[in-house]
Amino acid sequence: MSSKVGSLMPPQASKAAKVSLYRLLINKGQSLELGIQKKYVERDDFSMVETDVAGCKSLFVYGIIPNEDPKWAQHARQVASVDFSVSNQTSAGLLIVRLNEGRDYSYCLSWSMGHIVVNSTFIDDGFGLRFALRKGDSKSISSLTSHALETVPRTARTSVFGGSTLDAFGLEEIGEIVSRFVGGIEAEGLTCSIRPASRSASRSGKPRPSRVITVRGSDALGMPLALSPVDLISDLNLIDRVLASDVVNEEFKHLEDTQPLRPGNGKIPNLEERLAAELHLGGSGIALCWPAEFDEDPGEIARYKILGTGNRRGVLYDELTLEYLTAPLDGLSDSGKVAKLRSMRIQGQSEDGSALTREIPADKWILFQTYFEDRRFVLHRGRWYHIGGAYLDLLKSRLERIFKNRCDIKFPAWPKQEKKKKDGGEYVGWADEKVYNDKIVGVQEGYVSLDRKMIKTKQHPRGFESCDFLTPDGRLVHVKRLDDSVAASHLFNQAANSAEALVHDDEARAKFCAKVNEVSAGARSLPGDFKPTSVVIAFAGRKSNPEDLFTFSQVSLNRCARDISSLGLNLEISIIEESEDIFTDSDQAT
């Protein structure tokens, strides 16, 4: 009997290995060395070698990163009372390949800790994600990392064992962005798709099914790339063609259209030049916005303390306006303005001067949007975002539907009033919202002004504002002027949060009814099972179209409409007309 052991073929080595791939925006004519952080270029334990990879000019960088005294050792010596010494070191390797001398980018392969050596200024943000969204199988998504916009900053990494469709991850189509995609792609054309031959496969004569591999797409692309120089260049060329020619999978389009810019992105200096040019009273495209803490009702803020303006003790203001943030920047250079803004801090305080918020950097209170290279960019809560065209189109269509649902109540026109300047002079401007709510609308029969009248519950210990005023037929009305240099996002969040509290929280509903009775001096009494008939967003100023809202405010309004609808309530839009009449305290509402 003959043995078949000798006929077994040894397993063939793989032709590819996993690696992290970046795309670096190094212009033609610039040195590939720019892709390396300078501090590593100058270190003795790092080396750079100019090389050639299948005819492509390349730079290989490698070295070690020693740690003579790891942090854990310091703790261990203290608690164990043992004097000892340990050290470790990690390795790092990068290969930067200029695939084509005519292109303004190069590819960078990273091994081990190579990613910390890369100069982030030149990283092409979202490169790996863009590839994954073009090649990814919409039915085999393994993991997504998402970030919520406009609510409390939330980052979530969700994984589905075995992979699933996008619906399984519960993403919002508008209001949430994806920064990392893990899923399967067809490997056809890549070196890793070539499987080691086997006797059974070669004898059958049947073509093998295309291989599916898992890729990880974010700023980098994690996937197997060829081991041989010629095949590696072939793989890079395929990746390059996919990004240049392939369209995004239809189900993934909205995932690519809004992306945060990582710190060090090369566009940020240009964007901040545009920001600095508008950091003055009357600047275009800039407004106040509320930091993340204000999405969680910090309480009834009576004043704002601004620190870092030059006054050692800080400056207190009853109201926060854009002018108070821009005035300390007057006379500074453009770069000095942005640096000064970031060094200033703002704290919300109660009537007795106690802190209701931490000292929050002033740039977190700014919303700014601009165009650069025919693309829209937004600075929101201290971070820059690119907002893509398809996302904007989708957002516009949603907002148009929301604005079509008009309230049938005509509210009083918005008058002007005499105001005082900081230097004591007087001028005539549009009446303050508090004046409109309390003295124009609130004095009408059946209306109750609830502006700034907080309702405190166990669920909202610092209090929440239910609405600006309540109509005779039970509608909660929230008022916003669009020309007061304050983004409307906070108002929309407030509208959704108060509606949810009054529908689901018995304590909130009871205290709301009591507050209405108190403010109206008994003229208005609500039943214990009161439920709002609808929620109204009433706009005044400018043209009051969806386009008049900042991009992130549009996102918030879309979410507000969705949340209110889920409560079984209707969101209505009202446009308040304006009047040239000058309101005085002696005037009576008509």
Side-chain angles (χ1 to χ4, degrees):
M1 186 172 69
S2 62
S3 171
K4 295 185 179 180
V5 173
S7 65
L8 292 177
M9 296 182 65
Q12 279 190 308
S14 174
K15 294 179 178 291
K18 290 182 180 178
V19 67
S20 292
L21 181 69
Y22 293 88
R23 188 152 82 167
L24 304 182
L25 302 177
I26 300 174
N27 293 332
K28 52 190 175 185
Q30 289 183 312
S31 171
L32 296 179
E33 189 177 313
L34 292 173
I36 313 300
Q37 290 192 59
K38 189 175 181 181
K39 65 180 180 180
Y40 291 103
V41 171
E42 297 172 345
R43 286 174 58 153
D44 293 336
D45 43 14
F46 267 77
S47 300
M48 290 193 304
V49 181
E50 293 184 356
T51 184
D52 179 285
V53 177
C56 295
K57 182 180 178 181
S58 304
L59 179 67
F60 180 56
V61 181
Y62 65 97
I64 59 171
I65 305 171
N67 188 347
E68 300 299 334
D69 189 24
K71 286 186 177 180
W72 70 264
Q74 301 172 25
H75 188 195
R77 278 192 288 267
Q78 288 181 302
V79 297
S81 300
V82 176
D83 189 19
F84 66 93
S85 178
V86 294
S87 65
N88 58 34
Q89 64 183 29
T90 56
S91 60
L94 292 176
L95 177 63
I96 304 178
V97 181
R98 193 181 289 282
L99 198 61
N100 186 306
E101 290 291 343
R103 294 172 185 160
D104 287 334
Y105 56 84
S106 299
Y107 286 96
C108 175
L109 285 74
S110 168
W111 294 275
S112 188
M113 298 300 289
H115 61 277
I116 69 171
V117 181
V118 177
N119 186 344
S120 62
T121 302
F122 292 92
I123 289 178
D124 184 359
D125 288 341
F127 148 72
L129 179 64
R130 295 198 302 275
F131 178 84
L133 296 181
R134 283 160 174 76
K135 291 289 285 182
D137 182 351
S138 61
K139 297 180 181 179
S140 60
I141 307 170
S142 302
S143 177
L144 291 178
T145 300
S146 61
H147 313 266
L149 300 178
E150 204 46 54
T151 59
V152 176
R154 169 179 58 82
T155 297
R157 178 170 293 183
T158 308
S159 298
V160 176
F161 183 73
S164 187
T165 63
L166 192 60
D167 291 342
F169 292 83
L171 287 179
E172 295 181 30
E173 194 171 22
I174 291 178
E176 207 160 10
I177 61 175
V178 168
S179 62
R180 183 174 182 267
F181 176 105
V182 181
I185 71 166
E186 295 285 347
E188 184 177 357
L190 293 165
T191 303
C192 61
S193 68
I194 304 173
R195 305 186 185 204
S198 66
R199 288 176 64 91
S200 60
S202 61
R203 285 176 178 175
S204 68
K206 295 180 181 179
R208 301 184 184 91
S210 179
R211 184 180 179 188
V212 175
I213 62 169
T214 297
V215 300
R216 292 165 174 79
S218 54
D219 287 340
L221 176 61
M223 62 178 291
L225 291 178
L227 299 178
S228 79
V230 172
D231 290 341
L232 172 62
I233 297 304
S234 174
D235 285 350
L236 294 181
N237 275 317
L238 185 146
I239 292 169
D240 204 58
R241 288 194 301 272
V242 167
L243 289 170
S245 305
D246 288 15
V247 297
V248 180
N249 185 315
E250 188 67 30
E251 295 183 47
F252 298 155
K253 275 188 176 179
H254 65 287
L255 300 183
E256 186 183 52
D257 282 317
T258 300
Q259 290 298 316
L261 303 188
R262 62 182 295 144
N265 182 285
K267 293 183 177 63
I268 290 178
N270 293 291
L271 296 173
E272 295 196 340
E273 284 182 10
R274 285 163 167 75
L275 168 64
E278 303 300 338
L279 282 172
H280 59 83
L281 187 62
S284 176
I286 190 168
L288 286 178
C289 71
W290 303 105
E293 284 189 30
F294 283 71
D295 291 330
E296 289 297 314
D297 290 324
E300 188 171 359
I301 293 179
R303 61 180 61 90
Y304 298 86
K305 185 175 184 179
I306 304 181
L307 303 115
T309 62
N311 186 313
R312 292 178 58 187
R313 301 179 66 178
V315 185
L316 291 172
Y317 297 102
D318 292 338
E319 295 287 343
L320 188 63
T321 69
L322 190 59
E323 181 183 6
Y324 298 150
L325 298 190
T326 58
L329 312 180
D330 291 344
L332 297 177
S333 65
D334 283 355
S335 60
K337 285 182 177 182
V338 176
K340 180 71 171 178
L341 181 69
R342 291 200 173 111
S343 69
M344 291 163 54
R345 302 175 312 285
I346 303 172
Q347 183 182 66
Q349 297 184 346
S350 64
E351 193 67 53
D352 63 6
S354 58
L356 291 178
T357 73
R358 62 186 175 87
E359 295 176 1
I360 304 172
D363 65 322
K364 301 289 177 63
W365 297 73
I366 291 290
L367 180 64
F368 175 65
Q369 62 185 37
T370 187
Y371 283 88
F372 177 61
E373 296 178 345
D374 296 324
R375 300 160 72 190
R376 184 183 296 188
F377 292 88
V378 175
L379 176 69
H380 177 251
R381 291 175 172 170
R383 186 164 192 185
W384 287 100
Y385 294 84
H386 164 237
I387 312 293
Y391 184 92
L392 293 174
D393 290 343
L394 178 61
L395 188 55
K396 180 182 178 181
S397 67
R398 294 284 181 86
L399 267 291
E400 286 175 346
R401 289 202 297 270
I402 292 171
F403 266 69
K404 285 180 180 178
N405 192 26
R406 294 299 177 95
C407 175
D408 57 3
I409 299 177
K410 185 175 182 179
F411 299 116
W414 199 298
K416 292 184 174 180
Q417 71 175 114
E418 294 181 349
K419 297 186 174 185
K420 286 190 176 182
K421 299 179 181 179
K422 288 197 297 183
D423 60 7
E426 295 186 348
Y427 70 101
V428 175
W430 293 112
D432 296 333
E433 287 184 12
K434 183 172 177 58
V435 169
Y436 181 80
N437 294 329
D438 287 353
K439 299 182 179 181
I440 308 295
V441 178
V443 296
Q444 292 195 128
E445 184 178 357
Y447 286 80
V448 183
S449 176
L450 296 166
D451 185 14
R452 306 189 190 194
K453 296 172 177 63
M454 308 299 282
I455 296 174
K456 297 182 179 181
T457 66
K458 290 180 180 178
Q459 189 171 353
H460 299 273
R462 294 184 175 181
F464 71 94
E465 187 174 318
S466 58
C467 60
D468 287 315
F469 57 84
L470 179 70
T471 67
D473 62 353
R475 305 186 210 194
L476 305 176
V477 183
H478 301 265
V479 175
K480 182 65 189 172
R481 281 200 66 85
L482 293 181
D483 55 3
D484 61 358
S485 298
V486 179
S489 305
H490 182 64
L491 178 80
F492 304 145
N493 293 334
Q494 172 186 296
N497 291 338
S498 70
E500 181 180 21
L502 295 179
V503 169
H504 292 311
D505 187 344
D506 292 341
E507 182 187 10
R509 189 162 50 250
K511 289 192 173 182
F512 172 77
C513 293
K515 180 69 70 175
V516 169
N517 187 275
E518 173 194 338
V519 172
S520 67
R524 185 78 183 272
S525 180
L526 299 177
D529 60 352
F530 168 80
K531 181 179 179 181
T533 56
S534 63
V535 177
V536 180
I537 302 292
F539 292 108
R542 298 211 296 259
K543 293 178 294 184
S544 301
N545 293 321
E547 297 79 15
D548 294 311
L549 298 174
F550 284 88
T551 302
F552 276 37
S553 295
Q554 294 179 25
V555 172
S556 291
L557 180 54
N558 178 75
R559 182 183 290 112
C560 173
R562 181 205 63 193
D563 292 347
I564 287 174
S565 176
S566 71
L567 296 171
L569 302 179
N570 189 28
L571 178 67
E572 300 174 335
I573 301 296
S574 176
I575 306 301
I576 300 174
E577 295 180 355
E578 296 176 331
S579 169
E580 293 296 323
D581 294 341
I582 299 176
F583 175 82
T584 63
D585 287 338
S586 61
D587 291 335
Q588 297 293 320
T590 58

PDB file of all heavy atoms in Angstrom, residues 269 272-277 279 329 332-342:
ATOM      1  N   PRO A 269      -5.340  76.392   8.863  1.00  0.00           N
ATOM      2  CA  PRO A 269      -4.800  77.762   8.872  1.00  0.00           C
ATOM      3  C   PRO A 269      -5.548  78.708   7.935  1.00  0.00           C
ATOM      4  O   PRO A 269      -5.808  79.864   8.286  1.00  0.00           O
ATOM      5  CB  PRO A 269      -3.346  77.561   8.422  1.00  0.00           C
ATOM      6  CG  PRO A 269      -3.009  76.166   8.849  1.00  0.00           C
ATOM      7  CD  PRO A 269      -4.276  75.390   8.639  1.00  0.00           C
ATOM      8  N   GLU A 272      -8.922  79.480   9.532  1.00  0.00           N
ATOM      9  CA  GLU A 272      -8.819  80.374  10.688  1.00  0.00           C
ATOM     10  C   GLU A 272      -8.475  81.797  10.266  1.00  0.00           C
ATOM     11  O   GLU A 272      -8.799  82.748  10.978  1.00  0.00           O
ATOM     12  CB  GLU A 272      -7.820  79.809  11.692  1.00  0.00           C
ATOM     13  CG  GLU A 272      -8.320  78.494  12.280  1.00  0.00           C
ATOM     14  CD  GLU A 272      -7.607  78.058  13.536  1.00  0.00           C
ATOM     15  OE1 GLU A 272      -6.479  78.548  13.779  1.00  0.00           O
ATOM     16  OE2 GLU A 272      -8.186  77.227  14.268  1.00  0.00           O
ATOM     17  N   GLU A 273      -7.840  81.961   9.116  1.00  0.00           N
ATOM     18  CA  GLU A 273      -7.654  83.309   8.569  1.00  0.00           C
ATOM     19  C   GLU A 273      -9.012  83.934   8.256  1.00  0.00           C
ATOM     20  O   GLU A 273      -9.251  85.118   8.515  1.00  0.00           O
ATOM     21  CB  GLU A 273      -6.803  83.252   7.297  1.00  0.00           C
ATOM     22  CG  GLU A 273      -5.316  83.034   7.539  1.00  0.00           C
ATOM     23  CD  GLU A 273      -4.530  83.028   6.238  1.00  0.00           C
ATOM     24  OE1 GLU A 273      -5.111  83.378   5.181  1.00  0.00           O
ATOM     25  OE2 GLU A 273      -3.342  82.671   6.273  1.00  0.00           O
ATOM     26  N   ARG A 274      -9.903  83.127   7.685  1.00  0.00           N
ATOM     27  CA  ARG A 274     -11.247  83.621   7.377  1.00  0.00           C
ATOM     28  C   ARG A 274     -12.023  83.919   8.663  1.00  0.00           C
ATOM     29  O   ARG A 274     -12.775  84.897   8.728  1.00  0.00           O
ATOM     30  CB  ARG A 274     -11.997  82.584   6.532  1.00  0.00           C
ATOM     31  CG  ARG A 274     -11.519  82.553   5.085  1.00  0.00           C
ATOM     32  CD  ARG A 274     -11.957  81.283   4.366  1.00  0.00           C
ATOM     33  NE  ARG A 274     -11.769  81.391   2.924  1.00  0.00           N
ATOM     34  CZ  ARG A 274     -10.596  81.319   2.326  1.00  0.00           C
ATOM     35  NH1 ARG A 274      -9.503  81.142   3.053  1.00  0.00           N
ATOM     36  NH2 ARG A 274     -10.495  81.442   1.009  1.00  0.00           N
ATOM     37  N   LEU A 275     -11.849  83.067   9.679  1.00  0.00           N
ATOM     38  CA  LEU A 275     -12.499  83.315  10.959  1.00  0.00           C
ATOM     39  C   LEU A 275     -12.000  84.626  11.565  1.00  0.00           C
ATOM     40  O   LEU A 275     -12.800  85.461  12.014  1.00  0.00           O
ATOM     41  CB  LEU A 275     -12.211  82.154  11.918  1.00  0.00           C
ATOM     42  CG  LEU A 275     -12.586  82.375  13.391  1.00  0.00           C
ATOM     43  CD1 LEU A 275     -14.097  82.555  13.535  1.00  0.00           C
ATOM     44  CD2 LEU A 275     -12.107  81.206  14.245  1.00  0.00           C
ATOM     45  N   ALA A 276     -10.673  84.826  11.573  1.00  0.00           N
ATOM     46  CA  ALA A 276     -10.092  86.030  12.179  1.00  0.00           C
ATOM     47  C   ALA A 276     -10.615  87.290  11.500  1.00  0.00           C
ATOM     48  O   ALA A 276     -10.863  88.311  12.148  1.00  0.00           O
ATOM     49  CB  ALA A 276      -8.572  85.967  12.098  1.00  0.00           C
ATOM     50  N   ALA A 277     -10.803  87.226  10.175  1.00  0.00           N
ATOM     51  CA  ALA A 277     -11.270  88.393   9.428  1.00  0.00           C
ATOM     52  C   ALA A 277     -12.691  88.797   9.814  1.00  0.00           C
ATOM     53  O   ALA A 277     -13.101  89.941   9.591  1.00  0.00           O
ATOM     54  CB  ALA A 277     -11.200  88.120   7.924  1.00  0.00           C
ATOM     55  N   LEU A 279     -13.937  88.243  13.046  1.00  0.00           N
ATOM     56  CA  LEU A 279     -14.040  88.371  14.499  1.00  0.00           C
ATOM     57  C   LEU A 279     -14.120  89.839  14.899  1.00  0.00           C
ATOM     58  O   LEU A 279     -13.208  90.412  15.510  1.00  0.00           O
ATOM     59  CB  LEU A 279     -12.854  87.683  15.184  1.00  0.00           C
ATOM     60  CG  LEU A 279     -12.920  86.156  15.275  1.00  0.00           C
ATOM     61  CD1 LEU A 279     -11.616  85.578  15.797  1.00  0.00           C
ATOM     62  CD2 LEU A 279     -14.085  85.711  16.163  1.00  0.00           C
ATOM     63  N   LEU A 329     -10.578  91.566  21.086  1.00  0.00           N
ATOM     64  CA  LEU A 329      -9.685  91.148  20.001  1.00  0.00           C
ATOM     65  C   LEU A 329      -9.299  92.308  19.096  1.00  0.00           C
ATOM     66  O   LEU A 329      -8.416  92.155  18.240  1.00  0.00           O
ATOM     67  CB  LEU A 329     -10.368  90.060  19.155  1.00  0.00           C
ATOM     68  CG  LEU A 329     -11.027  88.900  19.914  1.00  0.00           C
ATOM     69  CD1 LEU A 329     -11.651  87.927  18.926  1.00  0.00           C
ATOM     70  CD2 LEU A 329     -10.031  88.194  20.801  1.00  0.00           C
ATOM     71  N   LEU A 332      -5.651  93.337  17.375  1.00  0.00           N
ATOM     72  CA  LEU A 332      -4.727  92.206  17.308  1.00  0.00           C
ATOM     73  C   LEU A 332      -4.557  91.736  15.859  1.00  0.00           C
ATOM     74  O   LEU A 332      -5.416  91.980  15.010  1.00  0.00           O
ATOM     75  CB  LEU A 332      -5.243  91.041  18.162  1.00  0.00           C
ATOM     76  CG  LEU A 332      -5.378  91.290  19.671  1.00  0.00           C
ATOM     77  CD1 LEU A 332      -5.968  90.054  20.347  1.00  0.00           C
ATOM     78  CD2 LEU A 332      -4.034  91.646  20.287  1.00  0.00           C
ATOM     79  N   SER A 333      -3.448  91.059  15.590  1.00  0.00           N
ATOM     80  CA  SER A 333      -3.255  90.448  14.276  1.00  0.00           C
ATOM     81  C   SER A 333      -4.248  89.311  14.108  1.00  0.00           C
ATOM     82  O   SER A 333      -4.867  88.857  15.076  1.00  0.00           O
ATOM     83  CB  SER A 333      -1.833  89.910  14.152  1.00  0.00           C
ATOM     84  OG  SER A 333      -1.634  88.842  15.077  1.00  0.00           O
ATOM     85  N   ASP A 334      -4.404  88.820  12.862  1.00  0.00           N
ATOM     86  CA  ASP A 334      -5.342  87.725  12.625  1.00  0.00           C
ATOM     87  C   ASP A 334      -5.005  86.516  13.472  1.00  0.00           C
ATOM     88  O   ASP A 334      -5.877  85.909  14.108  1.00  0.00           O
ATOM     89  CB  ASP A 334      -5.341  87.349  11.131  1.00  0.00           C
ATOM     90  CG  ASP A 334      -6.125  88.352  10.295  1.00  0.00           C
ATOM     91  OD1 ASP A 334      -6.740  89.262  10.895  1.00  0.00           O
ATOM     92  OD2 ASP A 334      -6.116  88.238   9.064  1.00  0.00           O
ATOM     93  N   SER A 335      -3.731  86.107  13.493  1.00  0.00           N
ATOM     94  CA  SER A 335      -3.353  84.934  14.295  1.00  0.00           C
ATOM     95  C   SER A 335      -3.528  85.231  15.778  1.00  0.00           C
ATOM     96  O   SER A 335      -3.900  84.354  16.560  1.00  0.00           O
ATOM     97  CB  SER A 335      -1.904  84.537  14.003  1.00  0.00           C
ATOM     98  OG  SER A 335      -1.019  85.610  14.313  1.00  0.00           O
ATOM     99  N   GLY A 336      -3.294  86.493  16.156  1.00  0.00           N
ATOM    100  CA  GLY A 336      -3.472  86.869  17.558  1.00  0.00           C
ATOM    101  C   GLY A 336      -4.917  86.833  17.991  1.00  0.00           C
ATOM    102  O   GLY A 336      -5.221  86.500  19.142  1.00  0.00           O
ATOM    103  N   LYS A 337      -5.834  87.160  17.069  1.00  0.00           N
ATOM    104  CA  LYS A 337      -7.262  87.137  17.405  1.00  0.00           C
ATOM    105  C   LYS A 337      -7.729  85.730  17.766  1.00  0.00           C
ATOM    106  O   LYS A 337      -8.418  85.526  18.766  1.00  0.00           O
ATOM    107  CB  LYS A 337      -8.085  87.663  16.224  1.00  0.00           C
ATOM    108  CG  LYS A 337      -8.032  89.164  16.033  1.00  0.00           C
ATOM    109  CD  LYS A 337      -8.928  89.575  14.870  1.00  0.00           C
ATOM    110  CE  LYS A 337      -8.944  91.082  14.700  1.00  0.00           C
ATOM    111  NZ  LYS A 337      -9.840  91.502  13.598  1.00  0.00           N
ATOM    112  N   VAL A 338      -7.375  84.756  16.935  1.00  0.00           N
ATOM    113  CA  VAL A 338      -7.823  83.387  17.183  1.00  0.00           C
ATOM    114  C   VAL A 338      -7.193  82.848  18.468  1.00  0.00           C
ATOM    115  O   VAL A 338      -7.857  82.185  19.273  1.00  0.00           O
ATOM    116  CB  VAL A 338      -7.481  82.483  15.981  1.00  0.00           C
ATOM    117  CG1 VAL A 338      -7.865  81.041  16.268  1.00  0.00           C
ATOM    118  CG2 VAL A 338      -8.211  82.972  14.728  1.00  0.00           C
ATOM    119  N   ALA A 339      -5.902  83.138  18.677  1.00  0.00           N
ATOM    120  CA  ALA A 339      -5.228  82.679  19.895  1.00  0.00           C
ATOM    121  C   ALA A 339      -5.856  83.308  21.140  1.00  0.00           C
ATOM    122  O   ALA A 339      -6.066  82.636  22.158  1.00  0.00           O
ATOM    123  CB  ALA A 339      -3.739  83.009  19.819  1.00  0.00           C
ATOM    124  N   LYS A 340      -6.172  84.603  21.056  1.00  0.00           N
ATOM    125  CA  LYS A 340      -6.803  85.292  22.184  1.00  0.00           C
ATOM    126  C   LYS A 340      -8.182  84.724  22.473  1.00  0.00           C
ATOM    127  O   LYS A 340      -8.554  84.524  23.640  1.00  0.00           O
ATOM    128  CB  LYS A 340      -6.911  86.780  21.864  1.00  0.00           C
ATOM    129  CG  LYS A 340      -7.547  87.631  22.967  1.00  0.00           C
ATOM    130  CD  LYS A 340      -6.640  87.767  24.155  1.00  0.00           C
ATOM    131  CE  LYS A 340      -7.182  88.785  25.153  1.00  0.00           C
ATOM    132  NZ  LYS A 340      -6.320  88.902  26.351  1.00  0.00           N
ATOM    133  N   LEU A 341      -8.949  84.460  21.411  1.00  0.00           N
ATOM    134  CA  LEU A 341     -10.285  83.885  21.589  1.00  0.00           C
ATOM    135  C   LEU A 341     -10.191  82.565  22.336  1.00  0.00           C
ATOM    136  O   LEU A 341     -10.988  82.298  23.245  1.00  0.00           O
ATOM    137  CB  LEU A 341     -10.949  83.682  20.226  1.00  0.00           C
ATOM    138  CG  LEU A 341     -12.367  83.109  20.243  1.00  0.00           C
ATOM    139  CD1 LEU A 341     -13.345  84.118  20.817  1.00  0.00           C
ATOM    140  CD2 LEU A 341     -12.797  82.685  18.842  1.00  0.00           C
ATOM    141  N   ARG A 342      -9.221  81.739  21.968  1.00  0.00           N
ATOM    142  CA  ARG A 342      -9.091  80.429  22.614  1.00  0.00           C
ATOM    143  C   ARG A 342      -8.619  80.557  24.063  1.00  0.00           C
ATOM    144  O   ARG A 342      -8.892  79.677  24.879  1.00  0.00           O
ATOM    145  CB  ARG A 342      -8.112  79.562  21.821  1.00  0.00           C
ATOM    146  CG  ARG A 342      -8.656  79.140  20.464  1.00  0.00           C
ATOM    147  CD  ARG A 342      -7.933  77.926  19.927  1.00  0.00           C
ATOM    148  NE  ARG A 342      -8.582  77.449  18.723  1.00  0.00           N
ATOM    149  CZ  ARG A 342      -8.071  77.519  17.504  1.00  0.00           C
ATOM    150  NH1 ARG A 342      -6.870  78.058  17.321  1.00  0.00           N
ATOM    151  NH2 ARG A 342      -8.730  77.062  16.465  1.00  0.00           N
TER     152      ARG A 342
END
